[in-house]
Amino acid sequence: MWQRGPVMLPSLFQALHQLYYDPNIENKNLAQKWLMQAQVSPQAWHFSWLLLHMDKVPEIQYFGASALHIKISRYWNDIPADQYESLKSQLFTHITRCSSASGTASLRGPWAAFHLGCLLLVALVTITYRQWRGGEADVRDVMWESCATQGCGSPGGWGARGMCSSGGMDALAAHAGEAMPSIDSGCACRYVNTLLKLIPPVLGLQEQLRQAVQSGDMETSHGICRIAVALGENHSRALLDQVEHWQSFLALVNMIMFCTGIPGHYPVNETTSSLTLTFWYTLQDDILSFEPDKQAVYQQVYRPVYFQLVDVLLHKAQFPSDEEYGFWSSDEKEQFRIYRVDISDTLMYVYEMLGAELLSSLYDKLGRLLTNTEQPSTWQHTEALLYGFQSIAETIDVNYSDVVPGLIGLIPRISISNVQLADTVMFTIGALSEWLADHPVMINNVLPLVLQALGNPELSISSVSTLKKICRECKYDLPPYAANIVAVSQEVLMKQIHKTSQCMWLMQALGFLLSALQVEEILKNLHSLITPYIQQLEKLADETPNPSNKLAIIHILGLLSNLFTTLDISHHDDDHESTEVKKLPVQQGPNPVVVVLQQVFQLIQKVLSKWLNDAQVVESVCAIFEKSVKTLLDDFAPMVPQLCEMLGQMYSTIPQASAIDLTRQLVHIFAHEPAHFPPIKALFLLVTSVTLTLFQQGPRDHPDIVDSFMQLLAQALKRKPDLFLCSNLDVKAVFQCGVLSLKFPEAPTVKASCGFFTELLPRCGEIAPVGQVVHENGKVLLQAVLEGVGGQASRSLMDHFAEILFALNKHCFSYLSVWIKEAMQQDGFPSARVSPEQKETFSQQILRERVNKRRVKEMVKEFTLLCRGLHGTEYTADY
Amino acid sequence: MAYQLYRNTTLGNSLQESLDELIQSQQITPQLALQVLLQFDKAINSALAQRVRNRVNFRGSLNTYRFCDNVWTFVLNDVEFREVTELVKVDKVKIVACDGKSKYGIRYK
């Protein structure tokens, strides 16, 4: 297709056309490969200029520019030193032509600007190289000189005369900005004079920046901001170190501050301010990394700057007027929400620098705002200040701040006239929940607000999440308020004010709340809380199953399981220190959750009898018990026999994974409780028997059941291996099912199966039936493992297969050495791509390594790559 | 080059599994598969940086820390993860963190 030897233009055009437009991937790959070789050929110095002519289509011009860039970057030595000036001149001539063309009809659109940016980048790289080679060349002087030679005037005038189109400026700045880090920090400290000399021309763009902001030219302001931020962010440490030039750098910092505070709302009126946020992190990190003496000096200068930054950020975080906000699209609202989160992160970080004084400052401002009767504040201003508090309190320990009591005292004075403000009030209270736990006397200042908000569906997320936080953190101080909280919650639940998720959160909150009460109080409150739902469930249980009553049933079951998730009177999750003083004495008698579960058990069985075929309802039923078991642990014991019987009936009728998962939980918790284990043992044997039947019928449609079953077997081996001594358990059939499961396409199922064998094989010696089965059938297992390694299983599972091989090697060495030899003797097994020598090497390596599991994993990975024909490819270089 | 650390995620592993299958059936070359992976790296880095904005706070006890090749590795114990309403506690968390501000090289296309 194209000629070898010197690259000819027609060949280039043909190759480019093929690269962009040929539908065949092979042809595209070939074209790309050839073009990449062309770019680095000696002819590229010549043809790249030819391709840059304006009469060529953009794709060709771009290739020419890119080729030139590569030549200058990598083949600088090709250029004699006496040709540097000529080269720069040619570059700038072309930049000028492109700039002029971009302002006319001849070449519009992003290509011109991009092209321009590429060439400028080339020029910068050229100059940088020259500087490295020549010694003391001055970047700015070269650029100024070049611009003057071209009649462009100063860079500021250059832009002002529209040499760069507005689109061009942004692309220009993008590439200039990208070029800045190429003078990376290692070089920066050597050429810091050059960096310092870059600051004035950048500061020189301030006037243009102001004009762009005033005229609403977002692209220009965006571009100039990028230049300033690139210089500041990438070289702040080097520039900060120049103590004698501190004013110069401070001027740059103030320019960036102007960009942060650019007038207008993000993202509707401006999109520039967000570019500056990471700069403030970098500057802070650099200042705080100085030794204490030096840091103290810099703090004197920059603490006021950061206080100013806080004011600017809080101003930018303010919502627009209600009317204006009403016109924003949902996408703009979402972008604004994200922007506010970024501001929140920045404020949180800034707190590290400014400390408690920041909170005091915010508090003073808020206090003045709320007490100023002459000039009423806007809700936006109040909300922004609260948002600042919330941002800091959410993550920083504010326990030692002395302004929080005052803040809590101010909250009721806020006139909540707006949903966004109300939300922020709620979230601020929630952020202070840990503080409230240490200062419970203040709870009553905020709790009424939260309970009132619960009745407002617009505040659903904020009010429910806040109540949950308070109930979680302050539960031991809430008993005096418990009756009120329960009553309000009950009311909103009955009125169906909140969506399903928030209803579940509310039940979790109530679970926390009730945990701290005496048992009689818990039972009383539980009774009033769940009785309406029990009555509803009774009614639904009598109805013929249909889609709408299914939803209602699942909802009620969900409420119960969420309540039981957090209703923990044994206080397992409590922080030891805080409960030392507040912890209630250990409860005597049955756990109230168990009492309730026993009361509703028959009803649940009745529901189940009608809905046994419905996986979602069965899952919801299992979830109640699963969550209860996890919370109650040993306290669940009285329920074990009933639950095991129910699960057995359930699973015998319609096997479902959720039933196996619950069985696994029971095995895990009660394995070492001889008094409670017999029903669990019976359930385990029943589940195993039913699942084995499923395997005979064809397990492929039930990968979830197989997955859960393998996990159950592994758990049983871990916690109660003597289950495998039961005469009722067909160990051989279980083993064979495990081997079949290794061949499933679903990765979680295969992983669980590998886990089963990894637990089984070490038990060869101690459990006779296991040992016998492994010795008689281990070769089949090895075969399946090698098939997986050979390419049948996903590469991501190789570590798990390696663990099986390691276990076989450790516990069945003499058998393995025979099996592996026999298996590998088969032609083309486990892959046609590996030679007999490679198979022999792998076998020997595996057999030799009986100690280092990591090494075995490496060997298996290497062998699997060989089997798949991927060994030595760049594609798998990091495998 | 974008960071490659997301290749060992569910999405990344699923992609590699599909690519492996296409290579084995000779529908694509390993070279093309590599290009796809590189594109995946760019796409997921970009998506995680620009399109994901949920925030989760966490705190725990620092067990070990390591900084090597510009990558931080932390192991924390007894960690609490807090989202708007959820609190999850775990015994052990390993965090591998790469510099989010690093600039990428000049791309060919």
Side-chain angles (χ1 to χ4, degrees), chain A residues 250-285:
Chain A
L250 184 60
L252 179 67
V253 170
N254 284 328
M255 182 178 176
I256 296 173
M257 182 75 78
F258 176 81
C259 294
T260 306
I262 250 181
H265 284 102
Y266 182 97
V268 174
N269 309 122
E270 61 89 9
T271 52
T272 299
S273 59
S274 60
L275 297 174
T276 65
L277 296 180
T278 48
F279 163 74
W280 298 109
Y281 286 91
T282 307
L283 179 64
Q284 178 177 321
D285 282 346

Side-chain angles (χ1 to χ4, degrees), chain A residues 448-460:
Chain A
L449 271 174
V450 178
L451 294 180
Q452 190 185 6
L454 273 185
N456 185 344
E458 287 184 301
L459 304 180
S460 191

Side-chain angles (χ1 to χ4, degrees), chain A residues 177 207 210 288 365 379 443 445 460 476 483 549 641 735 835 879:
Chain A
E207 188 46 44
R210 283 197 184 86
L288 295 180
K365 290 185 169 82
W379 70 263
I443 290 175
N445 288 56
S460 191
Y476 298 113
N549 61 26
F735 186 95
S835 68
Y879 180 53

Side-chain angles (χ1 to χ4, degrees), chain B residues 29-109:
Chain B
T29 60
Q31 196 184 3
L32 182 56
L34 176 62
Q35 293 301 317
V36 171
L37 266 189
L38 290 171
Q39 185 59 37
F40 167 79
D41 295 335
K42 286 182 204 170
I44 195 155
N45 273 274
S46 167
L48 289 172
Q50 288 163 27
R51 294 174 59 190
V52 176
R53 283 292 188 251
N54 290 348
R55 186 166 62 179
V56 173
N57 295 319
F58 64 92
R59 62 180 174 208
S61 310
L62 185 63
N63 185 312
T64 60
Y65 62 91
R66 182 187 302 132
F67 185 59
C68 183
D69 295 332
N70 220 36
V71 175
W72 278 103
T73 307
F74 303 102
V75 174
L76 286 80
N77 294 121
D78 302 321
V79 188
E80 281 183 0
F81 286 87
R82 286 171 187 257
E83 216 234 342
V84 177
T85 56
E86 296 302 323
L87 173 71
V88 176
K89 291 186 184 178
V90 292
D91 295 331
K92 183 178 168 186
V93 166
K94 182 176 178 181
I95 298 170
V96 178
C98 302
D99 186 354
K101 291 182 298 182
S102 76
K103 303 294 181 194
Y104 306 140
I106 298 160
R107 283 163 285 191
Y108 172 61
K109 280 188 213 151

Side-chain angles (χ1 to χ4, degrees), chain A residues 643-688:
Chain A
L643 181 59
C644 288
E645 195 184 331
M646 186 185 83
L647 281 175
Q649 284 170 1
M650 192 198 294
Y651 197 73
S652 303
T653 314
I654 308 261
Q656 301 220 31
S658 47
I660 306 181
D661 291 339
L662 189 44
T663 305
R664 180 164 51 88
Q665 287 283 340
L666 292 172
V667 168
H668 178 72
I669 293 168
F670 294 100
H672 300 301
E673 300 275 340
H676 304 297
F677 201 70
I680 300 174
K681 176 178 169 180
L683 176 61
F684 172 80
L685 293 171
L686 175 64
V687 165
T688 304

Side-chain angles (χ1 to χ4, degrees), chain A residues 479-522:
Chain A
Y481 313 101
N484 192 20
I485 295 172
V486 171
V488 171
S489 302
Q490 234 174 325
E491 195 188 335
V492 302
L493 284 168
M494 285 294 123
K495 286 182 179 170
Q496 298 181 342
I497 287 174
H498 301 294
K499 290 186 183 158
T500 302
S501 301
Q502 280 70 61
C503 291
M504 303 302 156
W505 300 351
L506 194 49
M507 292 305 265
Q508 289 178 18
L510 293 172
F512 283 125
L513 175 73
L514 297 180
S515 299
L517 303 180
Q518 298 287 342
V519 170
E520 302 78 33
E521 281 299 307
I522 295 174

